[in-house]
Structures are given as structure tokens and as C-alpha cells.
């Protein structure tokens, strides 16, 4: 797994993920609603392009997003898997999930996606699983209504709904080539019929009622956001890196890009040695979410890694690893402690840092 993840973290290269970008999403057994495979294996098909070319493309896309487009409320939403730009789930009046595309100069292409609820921009999205989830929305049939005159649809008082912003096309190529959404729809979810399927309608066009299969609706309502993560605590594009501070106990180890030189402290090292450690500090994989956080007195800081950036646009990222139990350490990402990692992986990284210096 460690070797495969290097495809993502390779120094001086930008990973372009093709997984989920070609072919039709499968929704009969959604991995994003259940257990995912190793993150590295999910992206074994990753390709690499030079940072120079990718940087130009990223800048062009970021400029495109500067133009704002008024979204049209669509009566019969139909879309391509690749035309979705934002999607949120509100359940019983509470937003439980939101994902949206947020291009930026400092990001790599696949990292444009952000899960803003329940996470934040630092969380790295597993785009393969994301596109699979989008496939569920694409398969919603909101064109053929049903006679629900005598049914208790529950749509008049529902507080459960899906909102999707998208490029108004079913053509994959057009969707990929268009940056910004131009259409939106809020799909209200009501009661179930005798078969357990859900009554639904599009907000603003409530006279037309549809039935959506229970499997599709439930897979979204029961979505586990953690399974949409790539499982990397923080993916920091090397092009935006100035230096990295690693604190172990009272000692600080610093690796820095100094012009064309790669430095560990004041010592200049070979690019390969720098690359190896840079990959390692981003390769402690998330194992699970924390069910119960511990008091500060009950945990000890094992390692702190701070990524300093060379551009004001890119946020500084700090990872703090704390003891949790015999098996796991917790990781705090920019002040928020959400996830567990394997303690043995953190211990191995600490040893690798000390050995490198």
C-alpha cells in the first residue's frame, strides 16, 4: 500500500486520477455506503503529469470559476454523473452532508472536491466513490409522475431533501468541458408507498409526484461520509510547499525547499531522500472516525507535523498525533480531532524522521 500511495505523493509530480472518470458508476452495491478498500488500491490507476503543465491547467480552471452563473431551477432534472458541481443532503431539517467542487490554484485537479459537511477543505475526497454516489442521483427518474391523489405522500411537510447544482446536460463530454453549474434542483423526499419506495417531487413543481426506489434513497440517507475520503489526513501539493516542521518531544526537525536545494535542517540532501520522507509524513492513513474524544490529561502528543506553504492562498496545515489506546493514535487536523490512525504507523514515522536527520 505504501508503494502505491507514492503515486499520489510523488515529489514534483501532480496526480491526475482517472478512476471514476471513465465508465458508468455502479450503484447496486455502493462501497461509499459501506466499507471501502485501501485508498491506495482505489487509486492504483493514477497517472502522473509534470507540475508545470498541471499548474497552468489549474490556473485556467480557477479563472473560469470567477464568472458567476445564475442557476436555473429545473422541473425535470437530468444530468451526467460528471455534471454535478454541488450536492447536499438534509435529513429531518438538518444538513448532514455537503460536497462541492472548489477549484483553486494551489490544489491538484482531483483535489478540487471538498466535503464541507461534516468535514472541511482539508479532507481529501475519494473521487471514485464520489462519482459512484453521483450515479445514484443520475438514475433518479423525475420525468414520469405517478397518480398520488389519494396517497399520503408527506411531501407537503417533509424536511428531508437532496439539493444538487449541476451542468444541465446528460452528455459526459459536455459536462467535463463545462466548469460551472447552470442548473439546480431540490428533490423533496416524502413518505413511502406499500412497497417501501419513496414519494418525491421537485421543489417549485410540487404538482408532479414521483416514486424513487427505496434502495436509491436509503443509500443516500444512510451515507457514511468517512467512506468518501481518500484516507490521507492532508494532501499537500509539493508545488505549494515552503517547509515542514516535525515536532517530536522537545525537538523540531525541519525539511525545506530552498530554491533548487532540498534541506534537512541546514544540511542539503538528495532529492530522493527528501521525497521519501515527504511521502512518508503524508502516508499515515486514516483508519476510522473517533467515537469518543479523550481529555487532554488522558493523552500524550506523539508527533506534530506542520506544512508551511509558499502562497498565501493555500492554508497552513498542522497534523497532531496523540496517544489514544493500545492500537490507535488520534490525529488532530488544524485543531479538529476527528479520526484515528494506527499507532504503529505513527511510531514507524517517528523513527523514520529521526533516522533521516
Amino acid at each position: 500500500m505504501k508503494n502505491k500511495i507514492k503515486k499520489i505523493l510523488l515529489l514534483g509530480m501532480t496526480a491526475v486520477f482517472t478512476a471514476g472518470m471513465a465508465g458508468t458508476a455502479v450503484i447496486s452495491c455502493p462501497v461509499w455506503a459501506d466499507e471501502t478498500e485501501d485508498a491506495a488500491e482505489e487509486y492504483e490507476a493514477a497517472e502522473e503529469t509534470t507540475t508545470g503543465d498541471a499548474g497552468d491547467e489549474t490556473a485556467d480552471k480557477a479563472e473560469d470559476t470567477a464568472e458567476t452563473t445564475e442557476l436555473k431551477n429545473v422541473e425535470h432534472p437530468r444530468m451526467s454523473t460528471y455534471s454535478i458541481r454541488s450536492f447536499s443532503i438534509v435529513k429531518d431539517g438538518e444538513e448532514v452532508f455537503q460536497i462541492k467542487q472548489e477549484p483553486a490554484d494551489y490544489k491538484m485537479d482531483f483535489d478540487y472536491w471538498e466535503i464541507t459537511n461534516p468535514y472541511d477543505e482539508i479532507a481529501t475526497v475519494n473521487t471514485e466513490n464520489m462519482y459512484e454516489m453521483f450515479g445514484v442521483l443520475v438514475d433518479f427518474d423525475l420525468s414520469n409522475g405517478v397518480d398520488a391523489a389519494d396517497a399520503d405522500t408527506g411531501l407537503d411537510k417533509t424536511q428531508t431533501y437532496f439539493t444538487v447544482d449541476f451542468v444541465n446536460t446528460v452528455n459526459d463530454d459536455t459536462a467535463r468541458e463545462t466548469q460551472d453549474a447552470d442548473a439546480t434542483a431540490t428533490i423533496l423526499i416524502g413518505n413511502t408507498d406499500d412497497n417501501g419506495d419513496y414519494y418525491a417531487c421537485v421543489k417549485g413543481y410540487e404538482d408532479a409526484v414521483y416514486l424513487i426506489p427505496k434502495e436509491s434513497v436509503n443509500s443516500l440517507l444512510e451515507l457514511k461520509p468517512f467512506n468518501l475520503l481518500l484516507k490521507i489526513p492532508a494532501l499537500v501539493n509539493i508545488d505549494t510547499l515552503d517547509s515542514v516542521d516535525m515536532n517530536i518531544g522537545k525537538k523540531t526537525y525541519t525539511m525545506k525547499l530552498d530554491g533548487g536545494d532540498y534541506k534537512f535542517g541546514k544540511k542539503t540532501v538528495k532529492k530522493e531522500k527528501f521525497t521519501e520522507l515527504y511521502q512518508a509524513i503524508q502516508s499515515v492513513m486514516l483508519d476510522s472516525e473517533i467515537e469518543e474524544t479523550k481529555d487532554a490529561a488522558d493523552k500524550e502528543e506523539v508527533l506534530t507535523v506542520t506544512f508551511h506553504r509558499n502562497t498565501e492562498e493555500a492554508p497552513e496545515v498542522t497534523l497532531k498525533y496523540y496517544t489514544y489506546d493500545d492500537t490507535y493514535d488520534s490525529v488532530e487536523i488544524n485543531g479538529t480531532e476527528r479520526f484515528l490512525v494506527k499507532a504503529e504507523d505513527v511510531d514507524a514515522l517517528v523513527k523514520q524522521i529521526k533516522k533521516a536527520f
Side-chain angles (χ1 to χ4, degrees):
M1 183 178 72
K2 296 293 185 182
N3 290 334
K4 294 176 182 176
I5 208 68
K6 289 180 181 179
K7 292 183 179 180
I8 301 171
L9 304 174
L10 188 61
L11 178 66
M13 307 293 285
T14 298
V16 178
F17 290 95
T18 56
M21 292 299 291
T24 303
V26 178
I27 66 170
S28 58
C29 182
V31 295
W32 46 267
D34 210 311
E35 294 298 327
T36 57
E37 299 176 357
D38 285 339
E41 293 179 358
E42 291 161 355
Y43 286 94
E44 191 171 2
E47 295 179 358
E48 296 159 356
T49 59
T50 62
T51 53
D53 293 341
D56 292 341
E57 182 180 353
T58 301
D60 292 341
K61 291 183 178 180
E63 290 176 1
D64 291 340
T65 62
E67 301 179 5
T68 57
T69 304
E70 184 177 353
L71 302 184
K72 178 182 178 182
N73 191 29
V74 178
E75 180 177 4
H76 302 291
R78 296 177 66 237
M79 64 202 77
S80 160
T81 302
Y82 311 110
S83 66
I84 295 172
R85 298 294 176 264
S86 175
F87 173 58
S88 67
I89 299 173
V90 172
K91 188 174 181 180
D92 298 327
E94 179 184 357
E95 185 185 78
V96 296
F97 177 76
Q98 184 183 69
I99 188 170
K100 56 184 178 180
Q101 191 179 60
E102 292 287 349
D105 287 346
Y106 66 88
K107 296 180 180 179
M108 293 173 277
D109 287 3
F110 76 94
D111 196 30
Y112 284 173
W113 289 97
E114 297 179 1
I115 298 178
T116 54
N117 187 5
Y119 306 128
D120 52 40
E121 67 174 7
I122 301 300
T124 305
V125 175
N126 181 325
T127 53
E128 181 180 11
N129 290 356
M130 178 194 71
Y131 282 113
E132 186 175 326
M133 175 188 65
F134 287 168
V136 176
L137 284 170
V138 171
D139 283 350
F140 279 6
D141 184 357
L142 298 170
S143 58
N144 298 309
V146 298
D147 183 3
D150 298 325
D152 179 16
T153 66
L155 292 169
D156 57 336
K157 56 187 176 183
T158 185
Q159 291 185 301
T160 296
Y161 50 89
F162 308 130
T163 298
V164 56
D165 296 345
F166 57 99
V167 180
N168 195 11
T169 181
V170 295
N171 184 283
D172 288 347
D173 291 335
T174 301
R176 290 189 182 101
E177 293 168 0
T178 306
Q179 180 62 50
D180 297 326
D182 56 15
T184 187
T186 294
I187 304 165
L188 305 179
I189 304 299
N191 296 332
T192 57
D193 68 359
D194 293 340
N195 295 320
D197 296 328
Y198 287 84
Y199 290 107
C201 67
V202 178
K203 187 176 181 180
Y205 304 95
E206 286 85 352
D207 289 342
V209 177
Y210 311 95
L211 276 174
I212 302 180
K214 56 187 176 184
E215 294 84 4
S216 297
V217 174
N218 287 336
S219 68
L220 295 175
L221 293 180
E222 297 168 6
L223 178 146
K224 298 177 182 178
F226 183 73
N227 289 336
L228 288 178
L229 296 182
L230 187 57
K231 307 304 185 295
I232 298 174
L235 184 59
V236 178
N237 186 352
I238 189 70
D239 291 341
T240 70
L241 183 69
D242 176 74
S243 62
V244 185
D245 289 332
M246 296 157 284
N247 298 92
I248 303 171
K250 296 182 179 180
K251 189 167 184 178
T252 299
Y253 303 85
T254 299
M255 55 192 301
K256 182 176 177 62
L257 289 173
D258 186 8
D261 293 331
Y262 303 89
K263 291 193 172 180
F264 285 176
K266 296 181 179 180
K267 178 176 62 176
T268 300
V269 298
K270 291 184 178 179
K271 176 181 177 180
E272 291 75 17
K273 187 173 181 180
F274 190 97
T275 301
E276 182 181 5
L277 185 58
Y278 188 70
Q279 292 168 351
I281 61 178
Q282 295 187 86
S283 297
V284 176
M285 310 300 288
L286 305 179
D287 185 273
S288 57
E289 292 184 299
I290 291 178
E291 294 184 2
E292 181 180 359
T293 58
K294 293 184 177 294
D295 294 335
D298 296 329
K299 60 186 182 182
E300 178 184 352
E301 185 177 317
V302 180
L303 169 68
T304 296
V305 179
T306 302
F307 297 88
H308 303 286
R309 316 297 278 270
N310 59 21
T311 172
E312 291 183 358
E313 183 185 8
E316 185 171 277
V317 178
T318 298
L319 309 177
K320 290 189 176 183
Y321 297 90
Y322 296 97
T323 56
Y324 189 80
D325 59 26
D326 292 339
T327 303
Y328 296 107
D329 287 347
S330 66
V331 56
E332 178 186 282
I333 304 172
N334 279 3
T336 302
E337 190 178 21
R338 289 194 182 102
F339 307 112
L340 296 176
V341 297
K342 290 183 179 178
E344 62 181 358
D345 292 344
V346 180
D347 292 342
L349 176 57
V350 167
K351 292 179 181 178
Q352 185 173 351
I353 293 169
K354 291 179 177 180
K355 182 178 180 181
F357 281 80

